[in-house]
């Protein structure tokens, strides 16, 4: 049996993990077997840049943390190598993990995840990953809002040009005389 210090350290780690899961809006569970150090480094860098908390976790500790947060339904996913990506918005962790799953085909596999304290399946995670990043969404909304105004400006310019064209045509022959 492990000594008291080891047990208290493990309990503290589970409590910290439980707290992170409770604070996160969404999380993605990944099987990362076979990725290289360079691939892992690039993944961690992208996660940091996008405010996603990514870590390799022991299945037992994650199982305890999931049970503490009411996500015990995810216990079936905790086998093999496991890492967890947590984020404040549901799209970013799903998008980053899905991108890496495509890049590292076979070596990096999404197992499942959760959103707003409820387990979600792989198709839901893939749907979230398909949503464009926030700056692109903002640009699309802005473009949609500006399209009618731009169209109106073009029409008004054409009307002004049409009204001005006959007056210019009449003025040109008079100047020639």
């Amino acid at each position: 049996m492990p000594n008291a210090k080891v047990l208290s350290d493990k309990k503290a780690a589970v409590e910290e993990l439980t707290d992170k899961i409770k604070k996160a809006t969404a999380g993605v569970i990944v099987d990362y077997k076979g990725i290289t150090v360079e691939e892992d480094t690039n993944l961690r860098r992208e996660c940091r840049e996008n405010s996603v908390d990514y870590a390799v976790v022991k299945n037992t500790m994650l199982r305890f943390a999931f049970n503490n947060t009411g996500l015990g339904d995810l216990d079936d996913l905790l086998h093999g190598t496991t890492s967890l990506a947590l984020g404040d918005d549901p799209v970013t962790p799903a998008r980053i993990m899905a991108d890496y799953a495509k890049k590292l085909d076979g070596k990096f596999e999404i197992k499942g995840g959760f959103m707003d304290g409820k387990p979600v399946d792989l198709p839901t995670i893939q749907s979230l990953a398909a949503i464009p990043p926030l700056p692109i969404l903002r640009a699309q909304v802005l473009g949609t809002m500006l399209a009618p105004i731009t169209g109106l400006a073009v029409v008004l310019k054409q009307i002004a040009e049409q009204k001005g064209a006959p007056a210019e045509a009449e003025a040109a022959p008079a100047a020639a005389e």
Side-chain angles (χ1 to χ4, degrees), residues 2 7 14 26 30 47 49 51 63 65 87 94 103 108 132 136-137 149 165 174:
L7 285 176
V14 168
V30 179
C47 286
E49 289 170 357
S51 301
R63 186 172 286 113
K103 287 179 194 174
F108 195 82
I136 292 174
L137 284 175
I149 296 169

Side-chain angles (χ1 to χ4, degrees), residues 98-121:
D99 286 349
Y100 271 83
K102 286 178 193 169
K103 287 179 194 174
L104 308 173
D105 190 35
K107 294 195 268 183
F108 195 82
E109 187 177 318
I110 297 173
K111 296 180 183 182
F114 65 91
M115 183 172 65
D116 295 326
K118 295 181 179 123
V120 294
D121 56 1

Side-chain angles (χ1 to χ4, degrees), residues 145-158:
M145 291 169 45
L146 290 177
I149 296 169
T150 304
L152 178 62
V154 169
V155 169
L156 291 174
K157 183 178 178 187
Q158 289 175 346

Side-chain angles (χ1 to χ4, degrees), residues 45-54 86-89 92-93 96:
R45 181 181 310 116
E46 187 170 348
C47 286
R48 269 192 312 274
E49 289 170 357
N50 289 286
S51 301
V52 172
D53 185 3
Y54 175 80
L86 300 171
D88 292 336
D89 73 283
T92 306
I96 292 172

Side-chain angles (χ1 to χ4, degrees), residues 57-79:
V57 290
K58 291 189 175 205
N59 290 327
T60 305
M61 290 189 182
L62 191 53
R63 186 172 286 113
F64 281 123
F66 279 160
N67 289 326
N68 291 343
T69 57
L71 293 168
D73 293 347
L74 296 173
D75 284 355
D76 295 342
L77 304 177
L78 303 179
H79 51 81

